[in-house]
């Protein structure tokens, strides 16, 4: 088969392999048709022998068959010879041996008929029977099978090509007062780019000047354009609306989100699933077994078969070699994987490799983070409670100065609350230290400041009476599902912030569907148990673990592994990275941190939790499709090899002997049937449980 490229396909080019394979088939069929007529003319009512001398007839067949082998069949023979030389036996080994046996015997019989005893001669023509028609038609039909297979395989790359086509070829660079279009490959971070109305955004960056609305359905799945103004981020591949703006390039080339998506999809399609190991193992030992069966068939027919024994022996052994080619076995798994990964990418789901696609649907234990996963990840500060004589502005300003260095959603909420009060936040924090899942600390204007949850506050040497006062003040907010962050200055609690993060609209529906798919769900969060309980109940989760550090999340999952469970961890933040790495399958929200996305096996680009039950169900469909393909391949060989060997001939007569030509057609159709079955995944409806 043609080698798979490690780079994404060019969206503007045609599939040359498909055109070449169809041209090779047409050329081979053009030469094989007269061979078939010369050999089997009498069966079609043609009086060939009265037109052409039988020996001249055989010489013509020899010349035409030699042309078929030397032209369109040359690549098959080259691969077959190489497989024998390297010891890696495959379908081309069997095809080459089968065609060589038929052609070699026929060539010797044509050129040196005197070498054969009288019992080998046809009484009517006084010549040895030849098999040029079988040799030529086998090659022609194998080429047809490859052409049909390549055409079907080309469809599996449609999703990847559609992603590639999203990237523009050029970008408009703004230098001083002039603008010019340059190839996208020449754009670098820091360049200023003009994006005009209706154009596709060429790189990842931020708006420097102008406003517009951008279609981000590639990422969000939502058709409504998103308003963009100065300072907002835009992503390569998304489409600009009616406005015009200047863009500061941040990530270019292979660093853009679109390029990373394309490379991930391509890499996943080329990777191997664990179930393929079985198919590879079977295929590796299958060819030697077929060779042994073909040799046994030849010997059996030659010594025990009816006359003409040699003809029966050659026909049956060649039929076994050709019909048993393990091409369908080799295609069964990778075709389903390629189509499944492409289908997932179309729905905004990225699988890191084929193993992830296969394993996701087999896992039954699911752990899920709270903030940014079940919630929107866009919290807002609702209340500021003072526990000292400091003013709200002073407390909020110190908190924001520390949080300005953090990427946690709570940090974003605190900084935004300061801006909403028109406070000028300076990035003047020193000795900044972040403890993922707990809190942050640093020094602002010479004062040690710390913000975090209750467990983090205990480590700041806060007096016990202040902690008790904090706990008493926090309980009413926690009962309403709000997250509480304490603020410590010089080891004294000066206040706390109550933050609310709305639950995602799709969370409850997604949780219900996951439960109906048979998954046991546990919410893991670093938040207080009261707040965690309120949120868990609101989305329908019965089991939850609260107040966990990233290390404790990791340990929770490894404990499940020790019980033999396959686990799924869903998260979005830096604090989820250890748990994502520990889980059998880590699932990251595409709206989360880069660390989480890099660590995870599956990424939900749009950050929509409802994509999770879809991806699990798709994984199960792909695995079912692989099993169907393997059944088709093994069932085909289990039935066809005995028939080709002639097991039914002694009972039902020679009409039940499979000719090499029919064997070649059946072999090609078996491969095509596997490919067609895999292609069903492109359009198959993924049924989710009712909500």
């Amino acid at each position: 088969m043609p080698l798979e490229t490690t780079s994404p396909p060019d969206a503007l080019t045609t599939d040359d392999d498909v055109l070449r394979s169809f041209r090779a088939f047409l050329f081979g069929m053009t030469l094989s048709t007269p061979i078939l007529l010369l050999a089997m003319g009498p069966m079609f009512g043609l009086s060939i022998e009265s037109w052409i001398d039988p020996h001249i007839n055989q010489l013509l067949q020899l010349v035409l068959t030699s042309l078929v082998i030397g032209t369109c069949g040359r690549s098959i023979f080259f691969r077959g010879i190489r497989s024998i030389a390297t010891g890696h036996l495959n379908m081309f080994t069997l095809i080459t041996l089968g065609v060589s046996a038929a052609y070699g015997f026929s060539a010797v019989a044509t050129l040196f008929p005197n070498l054969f005893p009288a019992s080998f001669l046809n009484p009517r023509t006084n010549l040895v029977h030849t098999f040029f028609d079988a040799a030529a038609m086998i090659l022609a039909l194998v080429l047809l099978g490859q052409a049909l297979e390549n055409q079907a395989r080309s469809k599996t790359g449609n999703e990847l090509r559609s992603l590639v086509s999203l990237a523009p070829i050029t970008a408009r660079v703004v230098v001083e007062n002039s603008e010019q279009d340059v190839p996208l490959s020449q754009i670098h971070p820091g360049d200023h780019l003009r994006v005009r109305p209706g154009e596709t955004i060429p790189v990842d960056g931020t708006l420097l000047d102008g406003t517009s609305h951008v279609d981000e359905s590639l990422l969000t799945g939502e058709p409504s354009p998103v308003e963009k103004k100065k300072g907002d981020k835009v992503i390569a591949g998304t489409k600009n609306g009616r406005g015009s703006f200047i863009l500061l390039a941040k990530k270019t080339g292979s660093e853009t989100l679109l390029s990373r998506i394309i490379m991930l999809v391509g890499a996943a399609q080329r990777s191997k699933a664990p179930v393929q190991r079985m198919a590879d193992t079977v295929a590796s030992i299958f060819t030697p077994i077929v060779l042994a069966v073909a040799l046994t068939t030849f010997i059996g027919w030659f010594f025990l078969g009816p006359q003409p024994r040699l003809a029966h022996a050659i026909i049956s052994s060649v039929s076994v070699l050709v019909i048993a080619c393990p091409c369908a076995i080799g295609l069964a798994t990778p075709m389903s994987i390629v189509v499944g990964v492409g289908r997932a990418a179309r729905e905004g789901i990225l699988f890191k490799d084929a193993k992830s696609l296969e394993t996701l649907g087999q896992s039954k234990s699911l752990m899920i983070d709270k903030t940014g996963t079940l919630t929107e990840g866009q919290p807002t500060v609702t209340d500021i409670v003072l526990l000292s004589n400091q003013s709200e502005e002073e407390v909020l300003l110190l908190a924001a100065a520390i949080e300005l260095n953090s990427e946690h959603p709570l940090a974003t909420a605190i900084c935004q609350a300061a801006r909403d009060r028109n406070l000028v936040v300076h990035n003047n924090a020193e000795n900044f230290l972040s403890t993922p899942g707990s809190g942050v600390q640093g020094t602002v204007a010479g004062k040690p400041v710390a913000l975090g949850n209750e467990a983090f506050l205990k480590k700041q040497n806060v007096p016990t009476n202040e902690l008790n006062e904090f706990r008493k003040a926090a309980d009413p907010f926690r009962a309403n599902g709000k997250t509480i962050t304490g603020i410590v200055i010089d080891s004294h609690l000066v206040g706390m912030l109550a933050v609310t993060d709305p639950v995602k609209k799709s969370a409850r529906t997604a949780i219900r569907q996951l439960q109906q798919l048979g998954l046991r769900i546990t919410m893991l969060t670093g938040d207080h148990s009261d707040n965690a309980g309120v949120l868990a109940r609101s989305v329908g989760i019965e089991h939850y673990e609260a107040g966990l550090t990233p290390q404790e999340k990791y340990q929770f999952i490894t404990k499940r592994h020790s019980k033999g469970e396959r686990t799924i961890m869903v998260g979005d933040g830096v604090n989820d990275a250890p748990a994502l790495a520990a889980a059998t399958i880590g699932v990251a929200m595409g709206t989360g941190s880069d660390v989480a996305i890099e660590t995870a096996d599956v990424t939900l680009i749009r950050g929509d939790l409802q994509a999770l039950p879809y991806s699990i169900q798709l994984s199960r469909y792909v695995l079912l499709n692989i099993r169907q393909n393997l059944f088709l391949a093994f069932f085909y060989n289990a039935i066809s090899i005995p028939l080709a060997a002639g097991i039914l001939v002694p009972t039902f007569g020679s009409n039940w002997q499979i000719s090499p030509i029919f064997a070649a057609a059946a072999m090609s159709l078996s491969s095509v049937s596997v490919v067609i079955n895999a292609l069903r995944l492109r359009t198959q409806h993924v049924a989710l449980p009712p909500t």
Side-chain angles (χ1 to χ4, degrees):
M1 297 297 102
L3 293 175
E4 300 288 352
T5 58
T6 55
S7 58
D10 189 338
L12 302 179
T13 59
T14 58
D15 196 328
D16 291 336
D17 286 329
V18 176
L19 296 176
R20 277 196 299 266
S21 57
F22 269 108
R23 281 198 297 264
F25 160 68
L26 290 174
F27 186 77
M29 201 65 197
T30 302
L31 294 175
S32 300
T33 301
I35 299 172
L36 192 64
L37 291 175
L38 289 169
M40 306 181 67
M43 295 180 59
F44 299 112
L46 300 176
S47 182
I48 299 295
E49 293 174 8
S50 63
W51 304 343
I52 304 174
D53 179 78
H55 188 60
I56 299 298
N57 183 329
Q58 287 187 343
L59 288 173
L60 285 173
Q61 292 183 53
L62 172 61
V63 172
L64 292 172
T65 306
S66 299
L67 285 173
V68 172
I69 294 173
T71 55
C72 54
R74 182 174 56 188
S75 62
I76 294 175
F77 264 74
F78 174 77
R79 291 169 181 165
I81 293 170
R82 186 173 59 184
S83 70
I84 296 171
T86 59
H88 298 293
L89 306 182
N90 53 41
M91 66 164 284
F92 296 107
T93 313
L94 301 181
I95 294 294
T96 300
L97 290 176
V99 172
S100 297
Y103 174 79
F105 174 84
S106 302
V108 173
T110 300
L111 298 174
F112 309 103
N114 294 331
L115 296 177
F116 294 85
S119 59
F120 281 55
L121 302 179
N122 186 328
R124 184 166 47 82
T125 62
N126 206 32
L127 295 171
V128 181
H129 184 75
T130 58
F131 306 97
F132 289 118
D133 56 328
M137 287 302 296
I138 286 171
L139 291 175
L141 290 171
V142 169
L143 290 169
L144 174 62
Q146 286 189 353
L148 294 173
E149 182 186 313
N150 284 341
Q151 186 179 41
R153 281 162 60 91
S154 69
K155 295 180 181 178
T156 64
N158 286 352
E159 285 82 7
L160 195 53
R161 290 189 186 91
S162 66
L163 286 173
V164 174
S165 66
L166 293 173
I169 300 174
T170 62
R172 193 167 187 82
V173 178
V174 179
V175 181
E176 296 179 351
N177 296 323
S178 65
E179 299 180 8
Q180 67 178 61
D181 292 326
V182 301
L184 195 60
S185 59
Q186 297 180 15
I187 302 301
H188 303 286
D191 287 346
H192 291 187
L193 309 177
R194 166 78 67 183
V195 181
R196 292 166 292 190
E199 288 186 332
T200 300
I201 296 171
V203 298
D204 295 355
T206 56
L207 266 67
L208 287 178
D209 183 46
T211 60
S212 187
H213 286 76
V214 176
D215 179 1
E216 294 186 333
S217 55
L218 163 70
L219 303 174
T220 65
E222 298 295 332
S224 302
V226 179
E227 183 182 4
K228 296 292 181 181
K229 55 186 182 298
K230 184 177 179 179
D232 288 344
K233 294 180 180 180
V234 289
I235 302 298
T238 56
K239 198 170 186 64
N240 185 28
R242 297 181 179 179
S244 174
F245 56 84
I246 301 295
L247 167 68
L248 174 64
K250 292 287 189 180
K251 293 182 179 180
T252 63
S254 61
E255 297 299 317
T256 66
L257 178 59
L258 177 61
S259 294
R260 288 168 61 194
I261 290 172
I262 292 170
M263 297 307 294
L264 275 173
V265 172
Q269 288 184 333
R270 293 189 303 271
S271 62
K272 285 188 176 184
V275 72
Q276 191 172 341
R277 293 173 190 162
M278 179 188 69
D280 289 344
T281 301
V282 171
S284 66
I285 64 174
F286 190 74
T287 301
I289 292 174
V290 171
L291 292 173
V293 172
L295 180 61
T296 304
T297 299
F298 181 87
I299 294 172
W301 278 104
F302 186 78
F303 288 104
L304 303 176
Q307 292 293 349
R309 291 177 180 174
L310 182 61
H312 283 299
I314 291 176
I315 289 173
S316 297
S317 58
V318 171
S319 294
V320 169
L321 287 172
V322 173
I323 206 168
C325 286
C327 185
I329 298 174
L331 286 170
T333 299
M335 289 306 301
S336 299
I337 292 296
V338 168
V339 178
V341 168
R343 173 76 181 269
R346 196 170 68 198
E347 301 296 334
I349 303 163
L350 293 183
F351 287 92
K352 183 173 287 186
D353 50 34
K355 179 182 177 182
S356 306
L357 178 60
E358 178 186 329
T359 309
L360 181 64
Q362 299 173 327
S363 305
K364 295 293 185 181
S365 182
L366 186 144
M367 276 62 72
I368 190 166
D369 175 50
K370 179 178 76 71
T371 304
T373 306
L374 288 169
T375 65
E376 293 287 356
Q378 297 176 344
T380 56
V381 176
T382 59
D383 303 275
I384 301 176
V385 178
L386 299 175
L387 301 175
S388 68
N389 56 4
Q390 301 265 10
S391 69
E392 288 188 2
E393 285 73 15
E394 288 176 319
V395 170
L396 188 57
L397 198 58
L398 286 171
I402 288 288
E403 295 286 18
L404 202 61
N405 297 283
S406 173
E407 64 172 9
H408 195 278
L410 289 179
T412 304
I414 292 170
C415 292
Q416 186 58 47
R419 294 189 193 98
D420 291 342
R421 294 181 177 230
N422 297 318
L423 300 178
V424 179
V425 182
H426 297 287
N427 190 7
N428 57 353
E430 299 175 341
N431 305 318
F432 176 80
L433 178 65
S434 173
T435 305
S438 298
V440 293
Q441 61 192 86
T443 304
V444 180
K447 298 178 181 179
V449 180
L451 288 85
N453 58 24
E454 189 172 331
F456 183 73
L457 299 179
K458 291 179 181 178
K459 299 177 182 179
Q460 307 304 314
N461 299 319
V462 175
T464 303
N465 63 313
E466 292 185 11
L467 284 174
N468 291 335
E469 185 181 355
F470 168 82
R471 199 175 293 118
K472 183 178 178 181
D475 285 343
F477 295 103
R478 288 171 174 161
N480 290 321
K482 295 183 179 182
T483 299
I484 302 300
T485 297
I487 305 170
V488 175
I489 300 176
D490 263 337
S491 299
H492 289 283
L493 268 164
V494 297
M496 65 182 191
L497 304 175
V499 180
T500 186
D501 189 4
V503 177
K504 289 182 177 178
K505 295 178 182 178
S506 61
R508 186 169 183 81
T509 299
I511 294 299
R512 190 182 299 117
Q513 288 176 332
L514 290 167
Q515 290 168 338
Q516 291 178 342
L517 287 173
L519 280 92
R520 300 182 300 277
I521 303 174
T522 304
M523 186 179 77
L524 306 181
T525 179
D527 206 348
H528 193 275
S529 59
D530 291 345
N531 185 30
V534 171
L535 188 140
R537 287 188 292 271
S538 71
V539 297
I541 295 177
E542 295 182 8
H543 306 288
Y544 62 90
E545 297 287 334
L548 300 181
T549 64
Q551 181 64 22
E552 287 170 335
K553 288 183 181 181
Y554 172 87
Q555 292 170 347
F556 184 90
I557 290 175
T558 54
K559 186 176 180 180
R560 289 288 180 90
H561 283 176
S562 67
K563 298 178 181 178
E565 296 183 15
R566 289 181 175 178
T567 58
I568 303 171
M569 174 65 195
V570 189
D572 79 316
V574 174
N575 60 318
D576 298 317
L580 289 171
T584 309
I585 295 293
V587 180
M589 311 303 284
T591 52
S593 69
D594 288 344
V595 175
I597 294 172
E598 291 294 332
T599 307
D601 302 290
V602 184
T603 301
L604 309 181
I605 300 175
R606 297 163 186 169
D608 183 2
L609 196 60
Q610 206 155 359
L612 183 57
Y614 180 94
S615 60
I616 290 172
Q617 192 73 317
L618 177 62
S619 169
R620 294 177 181 179
Y621 280 20
V622 170
L623 194 56
L624 176 62
N625 192 269
I626 290 172
R627 289 170 177 161
Q628 291 170 345
N629 285 345
L630 290 173
F631 172 79
L632 286 172
F634 285 120
F635 180 77
Y636 157 80
N637 281 292
I639 296 297
S640 63
I641 292 176
L643 291 177
I647 194 172
L648 297 180
V649 173
T651 304
F652 297 100
S654 59
N655 289 335
W656 285 83
Q657 187 172 41
I658 295 178
S659 72
I661 297 174
F662 179 83
M667 184 275 294
S668 296
L669 288 175
S670 71
S671 300
V672 173
S673 67
V674 165
V675 175
I676 291 174
N677 186 57
L679 284 175
R680 289 192 307 110
L681 286 170
R682 295 183 70 235
T683 55
Q684 185 175 4
H685 174 63
V686 178
L688 294 173
T691 57

